[in-house]
mmCIF file of all heavy atoms in Angstrom:
data_model
loop_
_atom_site.group_PDB
_atom_site.id
_atom_site.type_symbol
_atom_site.label_atom_id
_atom_site.label_comp_id
_atom_site.label_asym_id
_atom_site.label_seq_id
_atom_site.Cartn_x
_atom_site.Cartn_y
_atom_site.Cartn_z
ATOM 1 N N ILE J 24 -36.606 -230.891 1.341
ATOM 2 C CA ILE J 24 -36.013 -232.060 0.730
ATOM 3 C C ILE J 24 -36.184 -233.159 1.845
ATOM 4 O O ILE J 24 -35.313 -233.153 2.762
ATOM 5 C CB ILE J 24 -34.549 -231.854 0.378
ATOM 6 C CG1 ILE J 24 -34.414 -230.369 -0.519
ATOM 7 C CG2 ILE J 24 -33.976 -232.969 -0.379
ATOM 8 C CD1 ILE J 24 -32.977 -230.036 -0.571
ATOM 9 N N GLY J 25 -37.273 -233.911 1.816
ATOM 10 C CA GLY J 25 -37.374 -234.837 2.856
ATOM 11 C C GLY J 25 -37.682 -234.179 4.231
ATOM 12 O O GLY J 25 -38.571 -233.253 4.168
ATOM 13 N N ASP J 26 -36.837 -234.396 5.156
ATOM 14 C CA ASP J 26 -36.981 -233.693 6.449
ATOM 15 C C ASP J 26 -36.055 -232.373 6.486
ATOM 16 O O ASP J 26 -36.035 -231.848 7.528
ATOM 17 C CB ASP J 26 -36.725 -234.576 7.616
ATOM 18 C CG ASP J 26 -35.311 -235.060 7.744
ATOM 19 O OD1 ASP J 26 -34.721 -235.465 6.636
ATOM 20 O OD2 ASP J 26 -34.679 -235.139 8.817
ATOM 21 N N ALA J 27 -35.501 -232.148 5.427
ATOM 22 C CA ALA J 27 -34.549 -230.995 5.300
ATOM 23 C C ALA J 27 -35.122 -229.809 4.704
ATOM 24 O O ALA J 27 -35.921 -229.954 3.872
ATOM 25 C CB ALA J 27 -33.291 -231.326 4.575
ATOM 26 N N LEU J 28 -34.789 -228.613 5.196
ATOM 27 C CA LEU J 28 -35.272 -227.324 4.662
ATOM 28 C C LEU J 28 -33.953 -226.660 4.088
ATOM 29 O O LEU J 28 -32.930 -226.555 4.716
ATOM 30 C CB LEU J 28 -35.823 -226.427 5.659
ATOM 31 C CG LEU J 28 -36.962 -226.997 6.532
ATOM 32 C CD1 LEU J 28 -37.540 -226.065 7.636
ATOM 33 C CD2 LEU J 28 -38.161 -227.504 5.648
ATOM 34 N N MET J 29 -34.129 -226.054 2.847
ATOM 35 C CA MET J 29 -33.022 -225.205 2.360
ATOM 36 C C MET J 29 -33.594 -223.879 2.467
ATOM 37 O O MET J 29 -34.628 -223.426 2.057
ATOM 38 C CB MET J 29 -32.969 -225.494 0.848
ATOM 39 C CG MET J 29 -31.844 -224.579 0.192
ATOM 40 S SD MET J 29 -31.701 -225.074 -1.617
ATOM 41 C CE MET J 29 -30.612 -223.714 -2.090
ATOM 42 N N LEU J 30 -32.757 -222.928 3.175
ATOM 43 C CA LEU J 30 -33.047 -221.600 3.573
ATOM 44 C C LEU J 30 -32.046 -220.702 2.769
ATOM 45 O O LEU J 30 -30.966 -220.957 2.591
ATOM 46 C CB LEU J 30 -33.017 -221.391 5.023
ATOM 47 C CG LEU J 30 -33.894 -222.329 5.800
ATOM 48 C CD1 LEU J 30 -33.672 -222.068 7.408
ATOM 49 C CD2 LEU J 30 -35.270 -222.244 5.587
ATOM 50 N N ALA J 31 -32.515 -219.384 2.517
ATOM 51 C CA ALA J 31 -31.579 -218.400 1.931
ATOM 52 C C ALA J 31 -31.798 -217.062 2.729
ATOM 53 O O ALA J 31 -32.918 -216.673 2.922
ATOM 54 C CB ALA J 31 -31.819 -218.246 0.458
ATOM 55 N N PHE J 32 -30.631 -216.375 2.904
ATOM 56 C CA PHE J 32 -30.747 -215.193 3.656
ATOM 57 C C PHE J 32 -29.857 -214.117 2.922
ATOM 58 O O PHE J 32 -28.909 -214.499 2.232
ATOM 59 C CB PHE J 32 -30.193 -215.431 5.042
ATOM 60 C CG PHE J 32 -30.847 -216.537 5.752
ATOM 61 C CD1 PHE J 32 -30.335 -217.784 5.680
ATOM 62 C CD2 PHE J 32 -31.856 -216.190 6.734
ATOM 63 C CE1 PHE J 32 -30.898 -218.827 6.401
ATOM 64 C CE2 PHE J 32 -32.402 -217.301 7.488
ATOM 65 C CZ PHE J 32 -31.946 -218.543 7.282
ATOM 66 N N PRO J 33 -30.171 -212.850 3.061
ATOM 67 C CA PRO J 33 -29.434 -211.826 2.390
ATOM 68 C C PRO J 33 -27.939 -211.704 2.720
ATOM 69 O O PRO J 33 -27.070 -211.338 2.115
ATOM 70 C CB PRO J 33 -30.083 -210.586 2.573
ATOM 71 C CG PRO J 33 -30.929 -210.853 3.752
ATOM 72 C CD PRO J 33 -31.378 -212.239 3.790
ATOM 73 N N ASP J 34 -27.812 -212.169 4.092
ATOM 74 C CA ASP J 34 -26.351 -211.864 4.650
ATOM 75 C C ASP J 34 -26.196 -212.897 5.794
ATOM 76 O O ASP J 34 -27.154 -213.418 6.270
ATOM 77 C CB ASP J 34 -26.117 -210.393 4.931
ATOM 78 C CG ASP J 34 -27.099 -209.978 5.926
ATOM 79 O OD1 ASP J 34 -27.197 -210.464 7.077
ATOM 80 O OD2 ASP J 34 -27.699 -209.052 5.666
ATOM 81 N N PRO J 35 -24.930 -213.049 6.304
ATOM 82 C CA PRO J 35 -24.697 -213.978 7.425
ATOM 83 C C PRO J 35 -25.390 -213.593 8.568
ATOM 84 O O PRO J 35 -25.847 -214.397 9.506
ATOM 85 C CB PRO J 35 -23.126 -214.003 7.587
ATOM 86 C CG PRO J 35 -22.671 -213.587 6.132
ATOM 87 C CD PRO J 35 -23.607 -212.605 5.586
ATOM 88 N N GLY J 36 -25.540 -212.247 8.897
ATOM 89 C CA GLY J 36 -26.187 -211.784 10.113
ATOM 90 C C GLY J 36 -27.724 -212.279 10.183
ATOM 91 O O GLY J 36 -28.193 -212.784 11.197
ATOM 92 N N ALA J 37 -28.333 -212.112 8.942
ATOM 93 C CA ALA J 37 -29.763 -212.519 9.008
ATOM 94 C C ALA J 37 -29.897 -214.075 9.034
ATOM 95 O O ALA J 37 -30.707 -214.611 9.720
ATOM 96 C CB ALA J 37 -30.296 -212.068 7.578
ATOM 97 N N ALA J 38 -28.814 -214.763 8.454
ATOM 98 C CA ALA J 38 -28.872 -216.208 8.563
ATOM 99 C C ALA J 38 -28.654 -216.653 10.025
ATOM 100 O O ALA J 38 -29.300 -217.573 10.484
ATOM 101 C CB ALA J 38 -27.748 -216.872 7.739
ATOM 102 N N LEU J 39 -27.947 -215.975 10.793
ATOM 103 C CA LEU J 39 -27.672 -216.377 12.211
ATOM 104 C C LEU J 39 -28.999 -216.030 13.003
ATOM 105 O O LEU J 39 -29.395 -216.860 13.869
ATOM 106 C CB LEU J 39 -26.520 -215.515 12.805
ATOM 107 C CG LEU J 39 -25.149 -216.009 12.270
ATOM 108 C CD1 LEU J 39 -24.151 -215.017 12.761
ATOM 109 C CD2 LEU J 39 -24.770 -217.371 12.902
ATOM 110 N N ASP J 40 -29.577 -214.933 12.724
ATOM 111 C CA ASP J 40 -30.796 -214.587 13.488
ATOM 112 C C ASP J 40 -31.869 -215.546 13.088
ATOM 113 O O ASP J 40 -32.507 -216.048 14.098
ATOM 114 C CB ASP J 40 -31.265 -213.130 12.971
ATOM 115 C CG ASP J 40 -30.413 -212.016 13.490
ATOM 116 O OD1 ASP J 40 -29.702 -212.179 14.433
ATOM 117 O OD2 ASP J 40 -30.473 -210.895 12.996
ATOM 118 N N GLY J 41 -32.104 -215.944 11.928
ATOM 119 C CA GLY J 41 -33.102 -216.915 11.490
ATOM 120 C C GLY J 41 -32.860 -218.313 12.035
ATOM 121 O O GLY J 41 -33.724 -218.999 12.627
ATOM 122 N N SER J 42 -31.546 -218.764 11.952
ATOM 123 C CA SER J 42 -31.256 -220.090 12.336
ATOM 124 C C SER J 42 -31.383 -220.094 13.774
ATOM 125 O O SER J 42 -31.958 -221.233 14.433
ATOM 126 C CB SER J 42 -29.785 -220.365 11.936
ATOM 127 O OG SER J 42 -29.679 -220.423 10.568
ATOM 128 N N LEU J 43 -30.900 -219.239 14.607
ATOM 129 C CA LEU J 43 -30.964 -219.256 16.148
ATOM 130 C C LEU J 43 -32.503 -219.249 16.559
ATOM 131 O O LEU J 43 -32.731 -219.822 17.584
ATOM 132 C CB LEU J 43 -30.157 -218.258 16.771
ATOM 133 C CG LEU J 43 -28.597 -218.397 16.480
ATOM 134 C CD1 LEU J 43 -27.836 -217.141 17.111
ATOM 135 C CD2 LEU J 43 -27.972 -219.623 17.067
ATOM 136 N N SER J 44 -33.225 -218.416 15.872
ATOM 137 C CA SER J 44 -34.611 -218.506 16.199
ATOM 138 C C SER J 44 -35.282 -219.700 15.948
ATOM 139 O O SER J 44 -36.077 -220.183 16.798
ATOM 140 C CB SER J 44 -35.316 -217.245 15.388
ATOM 141 O OG SER J 44 -34.906 -216.046 15.816
ATOM 142 N N LEU J 45 -34.948 -220.378 14.941
ATOM 143 C CA LEU J 45 -35.542 -221.764 14.685
ATOM 144 C C LEU J 45 -35.079 -222.712 15.638
ATOM 145 O O LEU J 45 -35.808 -223.544 16.181
ATOM 146 C CB LEU J 45 -35.159 -222.161 13.264
ATOM 147 C CG LEU J 45 -35.549 -223.538 12.792
ATOM 148 C CD1 LEU J 45 -37.049 -223.690 13.002
ATOM 149 C CD2 LEU J 45 -35.152 -223.797 11.367
ATOM 150 N N PHE J 46 -33.707 -222.747 16.072
ATOM 151 C CA PHE J 46 -33.267 -223.696 17.022
ATOM 152 C C PHE J 46 -33.951 -223.380 18.346
ATOM 153 O O PHE J 46 -34.433 -224.335 19.080
ATOM 154 C CB PHE J 46 -31.838 -223.444 17.240
ATOM 155 C CG PHE J 46 -30.912 -224.282 16.316
ATOM 156 C CD1 PHE J 46 -31.006 -224.145 14.870
ATOM 157 C CD2 PHE J 46 -30.103 -225.307 16.793
ATOM 158 C CE1 PHE J 46 -30.220 -224.847 14.081
ATOM 159 C CE2 PHE J 46 -29.244 -226.051 16.015
ATOM 160 C CZ PHE J 46 -29.402 -225.906 14.585
ATOM 161 N N SER J 47 -34.226 -222.174 18.759
ATOM 162 C CA SER J 47 -34.848 -221.812 20.021
ATOM 163 C C SER J 47 -36.451 -222.295 19.964
ATOM 164 O O SER J 47 -36.887 -222.916 20.959
ATOM 165 C CB SER J 47 -34.829 -220.418 20.292
ATOM 166 O OG SER J 47 -33.473 -219.962 20.585
ATOM 167 N N ALA J 48 -37.014 -222.064 18.817
ATOM 168 C CA ALA J 48 -38.448 -222.612 18.616
ATOM 169 C C ALA J 48 -38.467 -224.097 18.819
ATOM 170 O O ALA J 48 -39.410 -224.596 19.386
ATOM 171 C CB ALA J 48 -38.978 -222.193 17.340
ATOM 172 N N CYS J 49 -37.587 -224.850 18.149
ATOM 173 C CA CYS J 49 -37.577 -226.218 18.311
ATOM 174 C C CYS J 49 -37.327 -226.774 19.712
ATOM 175 O O CYS J 49 -37.838 -227.674 20.142
ATOM 176 C CB CYS J 49 -36.542 -226.915 17.365
ATOM 177 S SG CYS J 49 -36.834 -226.751 15.621
ATOM 178 N N ALA J 50 -36.516 -225.925 20.489
ATOM 179 C CA ALA J 50 -36.293 -226.326 21.809
ATOM 180 C C ALA J 50 -37.493 -226.197 22.769
ATOM 181 O O ALA J 50 -37.700 -227.014 23.808
ATOM 182 C CB ALA J 50 -35.184 -225.391 22.424
ATOM 183 N N ARG J 51 -38.520 -225.410 22.318
ATOM 184 C CA ARG J 51 -39.751 -225.315 23.051
ATOM 185 C C ARG J 51 -40.776 -226.301 22.668
ATOM 186 O O ARG J 51 -41.934 -226.358 23.258
ATOM 187 C CB ARG J 51 -40.288 -223.875 22.905
ATOM 188 C CG ARG J 51 -39.251 -222.777 23.418
ATOM 189 C CD ARG J 51 -40.137 -221.480 23.396
ATOM 190 N NE ARG J 51 -40.198 -220.938 22.130
ATOM 191 C CZ ARG J 51 -39.374 -220.146 21.523
ATOM 192 N NH1 ARG J 51 -38.207 -219.828 21.973
ATOM 193 N NH2 ARG J 51 -39.606 -219.610 20.304
ATOM 194 N N GLU J 52 -40.408 -227.218 21.704
ATOM 195 C CA GLU J 52 -41.346 -228.177 21.189
ATOM 196 C C GLU J 52 -40.912 -229.509 21.731
ATOM 197 O O GLU J 52 -39.927 -230.013 21.125
ATOM 198 C CB GLU J 52 -41.424 -228.084 19.674
ATOM 199 C CG GLU J 52 -41.884 -226.907 19.058
ATOM 200 C CD GLU J 52 -43.480 -226.688 18.942
ATOM 201 O OE1 GLU J 52 -44.118 -227.675 18.735
ATOM 202 O OE2 GLU J 52 -43.921 -225.629 18.993
ATOM 203 N N GLN J 53 -41.631 -230.048 22.766
ATOM 204 C CA GLN J 53 -41.102 -231.257 23.364
ATOM 205 C C GLN J 53 -40.944 -232.336 22.414
ATOM 206 O O GLN J 53 -39.896 -233.198 22.596
ATOM 207 C CB GLN J 53 -42.042 -231.660 24.638
ATOM 208 C CG GLN J 53 -41.446 -232.888 25.323
ATOM 209 C CD GLN J 53 -42.316 -233.249 26.410
ATOM 210 O OE1 GLN J 53 -43.240 -232.501 26.889
ATOM 211 N NE2 GLN J 53 -42.158 -234.422 27.000
ATOM 212 N N GLU J 54 -41.789 -232.589 21.543
ATOM 213 C CA GLU J 54 -41.743 -233.773 20.631
ATOM 214 C C GLU J 54 -40.812 -233.611 19.461
ATOM 215 O O GLU J 54 -40.602 -234.573 18.680
ATOM 216 C CB GLU J 54 -43.084 -234.235 20.222
ATOM 217 C CG GLU J 54 -43.978 -234.724 21.298
ATOM 218 C CD GLU J 54 -45.315 -235.290 20.751
ATOM 219 O OE1 GLU J 54 -45.564 -235.122 19.507
ATOM 220 O OE2 GLU J 54 -46.046 -235.910 21.460
ATOM 221 N N MET J 55 -40.297 -232.459 19.220
ATOM 222 C CA MET J 55 -39.416 -232.093 18.094
ATOM 223 C C MET J 55 -38.057 -232.768 18.314
ATOM 224 O O MET J 55 -37.480 -232.494 19.303
ATOM 225 C CB MET J 55 -39.285 -230.625 17.878
ATOM 226 C CG MET J 55 -38.807 -230.207 16.498
ATOM 227 S SD MET J 55 -39.828 -230.707 15.071
ATOM 228 C CE MET J 55 -41.262 -229.711 15.446
ATOM 229 N N PRO J 56 -37.556 -233.490 17.253
ATOM 230 C CA PRO J 56 -36.203 -233.934 17.323
ATOM 231 C C PRO J 56 -35.334 -232.729 17.288
ATOM 232 O O PRO J 56 -35.760 -231.619 16.866
ATOM 233 C CB PRO J 56 -36.073 -234.870 16.176
ATOM 234 C CG PRO J 56 -37.502 -235.243 15.781
ATOM 235 C CD PRO J 56 -38.402 -234.180 16.295
ATOM 236 N N LEU J 57 -33.945 -232.983 17.710
ATOM 237 C CA LEU J 57 -32.972 -231.828 17.562
ATOM 238 C C LEU J 57 -32.853 -231.391 16.164
ATOM 239 O O LEU J 57 -32.549 -232.333 15.420
ATOM 240 C CB LEU J 57 -31.762 -232.271 18.252
ATOM 241 C CG LEU J 57 -31.743 -232.506 19.769
ATOM 242 C CD1 LEU J 57 -30.422 -233.041 20.328
ATOM 243 C CD2 LEU J 57 -32.079 -231.166 20.577
ATOM 244 N N PRO J 58 -32.845 -230.126 15.861
ATOM 245 C CA PRO J 58 -32.282 -229.794 14.534
ATOM 246 C C PRO J 58 -30.903 -229.725 14.459
ATOM 247 O O PRO J 58 -30.188 -229.737 15.457
ATOM 248 C CB PRO J 58 -33.018 -228.377 14.452
ATOM 249 C CG PRO J 58 -33.002 -227.837 15.838
ATOM 250 C CD PRO J 58 -33.233 -229.079 16.698
ATOM 251 N N ARG J 59 -30.430 -229.670 13.263
ATOM 252 C CA ARG J 59 -28.898 -229.519 12.939
ATOM 253 C C ARG J 59 -28.849 -228.787 11.630
ATOM 254 O O ARG J 59 -29.745 -228.939 10.771
ATOM 255 C CB ARG J 59 -28.185 -230.878 12.838
ATOM 256 C CG ARG J 59 -28.762 -231.813 11.816
ATOM 257 C CD ARG J 59 -28.156 -233.231 11.863
ATOM 258 N NE ARG J 59 -28.728 -234.082 10.824
ATOM 259 C CZ ARG J 59 -28.503 -235.371 10.859
ATOM 260 N NH1 ARG J 59 -27.680 -235.853 11.604
ATOM 261 N NH2 ARG J 59 -29.131 -236.095 9.890
ATOM 262 N N ALA J 60 -27.768 -227.991 11.544
ATOM 263 C CA ALA J 60 -27.846 -227.056 10.352
ATOM 264 C C ALA J 60 -26.382 -226.642 9.978
ATOM 265 O O ALA J 60 -25.455 -226.711 10.755
ATOM 266 C CB ALA J 60 -28.632 -225.728 10.755
ATOM 267 N N GLY J 61 -26.237 -226.237 8.779
ATOM 268 C CA GLY J 61 -24.997 -225.814 8.167
ATOM 269 C C GLY J 61 -25.280 -224.454 7.259
ATOM 270 O O GLY J 61 -26.246 -224.460 6.605
ATOM 271 N N LEU J 62 -24.454 -223.572 7.451
ATOM 272 C CA LEU J 62 -24.514 -222.139 6.779
ATOM 273 C C LEU J 62 -23.232 -221.918 6.054
ATOM 274 O O LEU J 62 -22.165 -222.055 6.469
ATOM 275 C CB LEU J 62 -24.761 -221.120 7.809
ATOM 276 C CG LEU J 62 -25.906 -221.190 8.640
ATOM 277 C CD1 LEU J 62 -25.974 -220.117 9.732
ATOM 278 C CD2 LEU J 62 -27.309 -221.047 7.795
ATOM 279 N N HIS J 63 -23.409 -221.303 4.914
ATOM 280 C CA HIS J 63 -22.258 -220.807 4.033
ATOM 281 C C HIS J 63 -22.703 -219.715 3.287
ATOM 282 O O HIS J 63 -23.903 -219.637 2.685
ATOM 283 C CB HIS J 63 -21.795 -221.947 3.127
ATOM 284 C CG HIS J 63 -20.705 -221.498 2.236
ATOM 285 N ND1 HIS J 63 -19.444 -220.897 2.692
ATOM 286 C CD2 HIS J 63 -20.548 -221.460 0.909
ATOM 287 C CE1 HIS J 63 -18.668 -220.651 1.687
ATOM 288 N NE2 HIS J 63 -19.347 -220.951 0.684
ATOM 289 N N HIS J 64 -21.798 -218.645 3.162
ATOM 290 C CA HIS J 64 -22.212 -217.430 2.391
ATOM 291 C C HIS J 64 -21.388 -217.411 1.098
ATOM 292 O O HIS J 64 -20.078 -217.619 1.162
ATOM 293 C CB HIS J 64 -21.907 -216.165 3.142
ATOM 294 C CG HIS J 64 -22.377 -214.973 2.315
ATOM 295 N ND1 HIS J 64 -23.556 -214.418 2.396
ATOM 296 C CD2 HIS J 64 -21.617 -214.131 1.623
ATOM 297 C CE1 HIS J 64 -23.707 -213.444 1.706
ATOM 298 N NE2 HIS J 64 -22.417 -213.197 1.128
ATOM 299 N N GLY J 65 -21.922 -217.082 -0.126
ATOM 300 C CA GLY J 65 -21.201 -217.015 -1.407
ATOM 301 C C GLY J 65 -22.222 -216.783 -2.648
ATOM 302 O O GLY J 65 -23.363 -216.671 -2.342
ATOM 303 N N PRO J 66 -21.615 -216.607 -3.784
ATOM 304 C CA PRO J 66 -22.521 -216.381 -4.900
ATOM 305 C C PRO J 66 -23.380 -217.615 -5.249
ATOM 306 O O PRO J 66 -23.057 -218.720 -5.092
ATOM 307 C CB PRO J 66 -21.510 -216.205 -6.038
ATOM 308 C CG PRO J 66 -20.227 -216.849 -5.514
ATOM 309 C CD PRO J 66 -20.250 -216.719 -4.066
ATOM 310 N N VAL J 67 -24.558 -217.308 -5.756
ATOM 311 C CA VAL J 67 -25.589 -218.352 -6.151
ATOM 312 C C VAL J 67 -26.176 -217.997 -7.437
ATOM 313 O O VAL J 67 -26.098 -216.910 -7.957
ATOM 314 C CB VAL J 67 -26.596 -218.560 -4.976
ATOM 315 C CG1 VAL J 67 -26.035 -218.985 -3.736
ATOM 316 C CG2 VAL J 67 -27.518 -217.291 -4.941
ATOM 317 N N ILE J 68 -26.823 -219.021 -8.026
ATOM 318 C CA ILE J 68 -27.521 -218.825 -9.258
ATOM 319 C C ILE J 68 -28.977 -219.259 -8.942
ATOM 320 O O ILE J 68 -29.221 -220.397 -8.390
ATOM 321 C CB ILE J 68 -27.030 -219.610 -10.440
ATOM 322 C CG1 ILE J 68 -25.595 -219.064 -10.811
ATOM 323 C CG2 ILE J 68 -27.898 -219.565 -11.690
ATOM 324 C CD1 ILE J 68 -24.912 -219.874 -11.918
#
């Protein structure tokens, strides 16, 4: 959605692993602006 990504994970643990991996990957890219993220767990359709 523009510069935003919508991600889905099976559980909070997987979401933390994926999000932290993405933040670390961005940290290694000098020209990449800082990412920012929000996570919530619950029922979806």
Side-chain angles (χ1 to χ4, degrees):
I24 311 166
D26 66 312
L28 307 177
M29 179 181 172
L30 310 174
F32 307 87
D34 54 62
L39 290 167
D40 289 342
S42 299
L43 294 177
S44 293
L45 177 55
F46 271 63
S47 294
C49 288
R51 296 190 292 269
E52 301 272 330
Q53 183 179 348
E54 293 190 347
M55 190 69 63
L57 291 176
R59 57 187 176 189
L62 299 172
H63 176 56
H64 184 86
V67 301
I68 294 176

